[in-house]
Structures are given as C-alpha cells and as structure tokens.
Amino acid sequence: MGIAENLAQVKDSIATAAQEAERQPSDIDLVAVSKVHTAETVREALVAGHRIFGENRVQEAQGKWPALKEEFDGVQLHLIGSLQTNKAKEAVALFDVIETVDRPKLARALATEMEKQGKTLDIYLQINTGEEDQKGGCLPKDADEFIRLCRDELKLSVKGLMCIPPADEEPSMHFAFLREIAKRNNLSCLSMGMSGDYEAAIRFGATSVRVGTAVFGTRPPKQDA
C-alpha cells in the first residue's frame, strides 16, 4: 500500500480504538513520524491531506521542513527526539510543538528563546516512566515539581505529558502511570503510543499518538557518506 492508504488505515484503527474506549476519534491526533524519511516521501503524506508530523533531530528537520511548510499550509511540526540546550534557538524557530522537555535547564533555555523570538510554542514534558538510565525524561518522583516550574515559574505553555515505555515491558502500565501524573496536575493531553502500541495508548487516554512505521513503512537504510 502507498502512504495515503497507510494513513487511512491508521486513522481507521485510531477511530476503532477510540470508539471501543468510548471516546471521540476527533480527540486523538496522529503525529506521523517522518524522521529519516525524505522530503519526497513526506510530500506524499501532505498531498494526502495530513498535517501533523514528528521529527527527531533539529538538523534533519531543518533540511526538509522549511520548504515543505512554504508549500503546504497548516503544517504542525513536533519535535519528538531529545533536544540539546544549545539547539533551543533553532528548535523554537522551526517547530510548533516540542514534546521532549525533560529538565529545568532545557525548559529555561526554551523560555528564553521564545521570549526572544516572540513565539509561544506548546510543549510536552517527557516523563521517564521506566526510570531508564539511557533514556531522557524527568523522573516520576520529580514530575510534579518540574511541571510547577515550567507552568507557574517559567510560564511555558505546558500542553501535556509524553512518555516512551521501556521496550521490554508491558506499555499499558506506563500509559496508566503517565495518565495519573497528568490527572493530579490538571493536564489533559497525553502523547503516548507508537506503531506497535498506539491502540493500547488510546484506551489509557492518549490524545496524540506518534506513528512512523505504520504510515511510512520501514526506515530507509542509512547511506554511506
């Protein structure tokens, strides 16, 4: 199947999962993860009418999205990969939503850049629900204080929380855990669920799911320099 057909199939699956959870399909955004895919491939999804995309790296996104945003109206670009503080300026300039705010230093850098650039970006705070050493994200024990810092002190537009469950664990318990942190902090948006588990994430309240392989197929092989 082509990308347009893949998008339609994923959206149908989202709708089915939402209905089974007694939710409205329109309450769930599909973030099509376009990382490592070419501008030509992404254009197919844009032509098919999709407008919400996720990229992992600032530099890669800079190489393809400015021209695509010029060509297509209404694009909402999410940064879903880890962000270094020294890339805050570029990230604020290019992205519309940053989903991986995970530490005070980064939050402060983003607040400073948004003020400088006169922009207000929605952000998600990444919570490391599995407390994995190799993975970014605020530890759960620090989540409430981090939310307070970002929302109340830095006045950032905290839209919700995001997590990436450990690959070798049942994701549902992590989705439930994230939902509870959000609930006690009066946050209504949850970015959770990827190609293999987004239907489960919807059952636990996901308001956006990040799906790459099911939309674009397997990642293209890296080219030698």
Side-chain angles (χ1 to χ4, degrees), residues 158-176:
V158 180
K159 187 170 185 178
L161 304 181
M162 177 265 218
C163 76
I164 305 171
D168 58 350
E169 293 185 16
E170 166 56 47
S172 293
M173 66 180 190
H174 293 275
F175 298 152

Side-chain angles (χ1 to χ4, degrees), residues 143-145 147-148 151 161 179-188:
D144 293 352
E145 176 58 26
I147 293 167
R148 187 206 63 76
R151 187 166 55 186
L161 304 181
R179 180 178 63 184
E180 288 308 306
I181 297 172
K183 184 177 179 181
R184 69 173 181 251
N185 285 282
N186 297 312
L187 291 170
S188 59

Side-chain angles (χ1 to χ4, degrees), residues 41-51 53 65 68 72 75:
T41 300
V42 175
R43 186 176 284 106
E44 290 185 51
L46 287 159
V47 169
H50 197 69
R51 289 295 181 270
F53 295 85
W65 276 105
L68 289 170
F72 294 93
V75 170

